[in-house]
Structure formats: C-alpha cells, structure tokens
Amino acid sequence: MSEVTTVGLDLAKNVFQVHGADGAGRAVVRKKLRRAQVLEFFNQLPPCVVAMEACGGAHYWGREIGKLGHDVRLIPPAYVKPFIKRQKNDAADAEAICEAAVRPSMRFVPVKSEEVQATAMVFRVRELLIRQRTQIINALRGHCTEFGIIAPNGAMNARRLIAAVEDEASVLPQAARQVLENLTGKLSDLEARIGKLDAEIRTRAQNNEMARRLMTIPGIGPLIATALVTLAPPAETFRRGRDFAAWLGLVPRQHSTGGKQRLGATTRMGERSLRRLLIIGANSVVIKRRVHPDAQPGTWLGGLLSRKPAMLVRVALANKMARVVWALMARGGVYHSPVAAA
C-alpha cells in the first residue's frame, strides 16, 4: 500500500471500484469497496493523488477524501472515455480514471464547497419550477382551446386563460371548470414559489461584490450575474476569455484537417445553464438595441445586425459577453462601453 501514488476511484451508489498504481504506472491495488468502507480505506493510504469522474456525488467524496490529506482531482467523464480499453466495467473505468489523472495535459474540475453547491441548487430548483409552469400552461392552453378559448403565447398571457376558468359566465362547462381549477391553483402556487426564488437571487446579487460588477455589462442582470458567480469555475482556471467562452460552448465546432479550416455550429459543450442565460441576456440587448449605445449603427453589434441572421448575432454577442465576464472576474473593475470611451 505504501507504493501507491495514484488512485482511480469509480463512484457508485453502493459498490465502488478502486485502482491504485505506483510511480511507474503499474497496478498495485484492484479492489471493490462498499460505501461504508471508502473513507476507512483512504484513511489507511499515505497521501496520494485520488482521481474521480466529475458527477453528482463527486464533490462530496472529493471534500471528504481531501480532508484525509489526499490530492483530489475530478476529471470530466468525456476525457476519461478514450482511456477505456475494449470492454466497459467498473474495473476498466477505475483503471482509465487512474491513467487519465497522470496525463500532463489533463483538465480537472475544481471541487465545490457545500456553500457553492447550496447556492447552485437555487438555480436548479428554479429551472425545474419554470419547466413545470410551462407544462401546466401548455396543458391549460390545450384544454381551453377545445372550448374555443385561446390566448397568445407566453407565460404572461396565461392570465387570460385563468380568468376564463374563474369566470362563471364563460363558455366553459361547469365540469371542465372544476377540473381546470386544479391546474390554475397549481400554476398560482408555482408563480409564488418562483417569485420567492427570484427575490432571493436578487438579494444575493446585491450582497455580492463580484455580481454587482458583472451587472454593469449590458444584458446581465441579477439572475445571470449570480449564476456566473456561483456556477462558473474560478477565473484563474482559464488562460484567457476565449477559453471561458469555449468552456461555455459558445464557439464554432471545428472539423479542420489538411490545413483547411472548417467551422460549424456552436459546440454546445460546457455549462448549459450559463450558456442559455447569456444568450437570453444577449437577446435582451438585441431587442432593446435602440436604447443601447453599443448597438447603434456604426458599432460592432450594429454592423453585425445589419448583415447577419438574428440568432447568429445573439450567439456572437453572448460569446463577447462571456469574454468580458472573464476579464472582470480575473482583473477586477467594471464594464466601460467602448462607444462611451471613444
């Protein structure tokens, strides 16, 4: 056991697989562990590198194993897959994790603290509630359409459907009204819960110094700023803003060979929530381009709007916003409009 320098740990719910290697890369330990045996096993090991795939429970185990003096490294699963030989099983996965951890060019995921994970849970729960609200609105819209009651698209216009259900003089039969009241009641409850989460996010944005600086960027409000502070890795993880934009999946997909550069659609890799929020923020700038000085004719964004499709402009602006976000997070300061500076 004293020869072990690198350990690959394949995580599971109950049965964990360990693969330990020495300094030359030779396998020293191959062992299955029950959940209750994991910390006891690593407590007996001398300090070494412990690698795991980044997943839902990886941060918890990373914190607990790190307390025992080990160097914990979390690896994205996509970077482990090329090291799996032929058949896939727990032992092969643990061996692949162990081999990937010692590669000099490997990229690792920082271990999150409990506070960061708890803050990130606010956004996950909010997204779930919004999806449920959308499902209920669509169901309510479809049922009302059967009786000739329609409303424009959008969550704000759902109030017309609720009013029609509550109005006893409407064309809805009494039996249908009683059933649809279950949906309208659930919709009102979801609206109240989403409102509470939005208020909590606004409070956190006002109390966080970095979030306040990020909100000086056009298109970034309390929700996006707090999400960036919470979900994005530390700025020093990336060498430059382009790397941060690439991590968000806001760069073209490459399929280049033979000296010929071929660029396709965006990669859509990385943090999906942040990418979606930045595109929504860019959309708000495009919609209100008449009042934004950065979008006036003659500017970079104004020229792009005049000759490129609207969605392409939104993604390009989101890419630029991501690079500005990294600059503010890495170097401090607030956003200054190039137009105002000129």
Side-chain angles (χ1 to χ4, degrees):
M1 299 288 282
S2 59
E3 301 176 354
V4 177
T5 60
T6 308
V7 175
L9 177 62
D10 183 55
L11 299 177
K13 185 182 293 184
N14 294 313
V15 180
F16 296 69
Q17 181 70 38
V18 172
H19 181 94
D22 58 13
R26 292 186 295 267
V28 178
V29 179
R30 290 192 180 96
K31 191 173 184 179
K32 283 186 178 181
L33 299 174
R34 303 293 298 182
R35 188 179 184 88
Q37 300 173 327
V38 175
L39 294 181
E40 180 183 355
F41 171 81
F42 283 102
N43 191 31
Q44 298 174 357
L45 280 181
C48 59
V49 175
V50 180
M52 297 173 283
E53 287 184 327
C55 61
H59 297 281
Y60 163 77
W61 288 110
R63 291 191 299 266
E64 296 299 320
I65 295 175
K67 294 176 183 177
L68 302 177
H70 299 288
D71 180 14
V72 178
R73 301 179 183 179
L74 305 184
I75 309 174
Y79 296 163
V80 176
K81 189 174 181 180
F83 293 91
I84 298 178
K85 304 181 183 69
R86 286 182 176 269
Q87 304 295 333
K88 183 194 181 304
N89 50 59
D90 292 347
D93 289 346
E95 182 180 0
I97 295 170
C98 186
E99 292 184 10
V102 297
R103 301 301 301 168
S105 60
M106 183 55 60
R107 302 174 183 175
F108 301 101
V109 178
V111 178
K112 296 180 181 179
S113 64
E114 292 181 350
E115 292 77 12
V116 172
Q117 284 190 293
T119 306
M121 200 172 295
V122 176
F123 299 95
R124 308 301 187 200
V125 173
R126 182 180 180 274
E127 289 181 0
L128 175 61
L129 296 182
I130 289 177
R131 288 198 300 269
Q132 291 179 349
R133 182 183 66 179
T134 302
Q135 291 175 350
I136 292 177
I137 291 175
N138 290 339
L140 186 62
R141 190 187 306 277
H143 293 313
C144 289
T145 302
E146 298 179 10
F147 298 96
I149 300 175
I150 62 173
N153 293 334
M156 297 299 295
N157 296 315
R159 298 173 183 174
R160 300 186 185 183
L161 302 176
I162 297 176
V165 173
E166 295 176 348
D167 185 9
E168 295 184 358
S170 65
V171 298
L172 282 174
Q174 184 63 26
R177 182 178 294 108
Q178 292 176 353
V179 175
L180 293 179
E181 284 177 352
N182 295 314
L183 296 181
T184 58
K186 184 65 175 178
L187 187 58
S188 301
D189 180 64
L190 287 175
E191 289 284 3
R193 294 179 183 274
I194 293 173
K196 290 181 180 179
L197 293 178
D198 289 340
E200 182 179 351
I201 290 172
R202 286 193 297 268
T203 302
R204 293 186 181 186
Q206 293 298 328
N207 296 334
N208 188 283
E209 184 267 340
M210 183 178 293
R212 292 196 301 269
R213 290 193 289 106
L214 293 180
M215 284 191 289
T216 60
I217 304 174
I220 293 184
L223 174 63
I224 303 178
T226 310
L228 286 166
V229 172
T230 304
L231 301 178
E236 56 270 15
T237 307
F238 309 97
R239 292 181 298 173
R240 52 186 179 269
R242 290 182 179 180
D243 294 343
F244 180 58
W247 177 79
L248 289 172
L250 290 170
V251 295
R253 184 184 299 275
Q254 286 201 44
H255 191 73
S256 305
T257 182
K260 295 181 180 180
Q261 189 180 47
R262 297 184 179 90
L263 302 180
T266 54
T267 61
R268 298 185 182 181
M269 302 177 69
E271 179 57 56
R272 179 177 57 184
S273 300
L274 289 181
R275 180 176 63 253
R276 181 176 57 83
L277 288 174
L278 283 175
I279 293 176
I280 292 174
N283 182 55
S284 69
V285 176
V286 172
I287 291 175
K288 301 178 181 178
R289 56 183 177 272
R290 299 185 184 277
V291 299
H292 279 288
D294 294 351
Q296 298 303 313
T299 61
W300 172 81
L301 183 57
L304 211 58
L305 286 168
S306 63
R307 64 179 189 273
K308 294 294 184 181
M311 192 60 201
L312 187 148
V313 175
R314 288 167 172 81
V315 176
L317 180 57
N319 181 294
K320 185 176 181 180
M321 291 167 59
R323 288 183 276 128
V324 174
V325 165
W326 178 88
L328 297 189
M329 295 175 69
R331 303 167 187 167
V334 297
Y335 176 79
H336 296 286
S337 172
V339 177

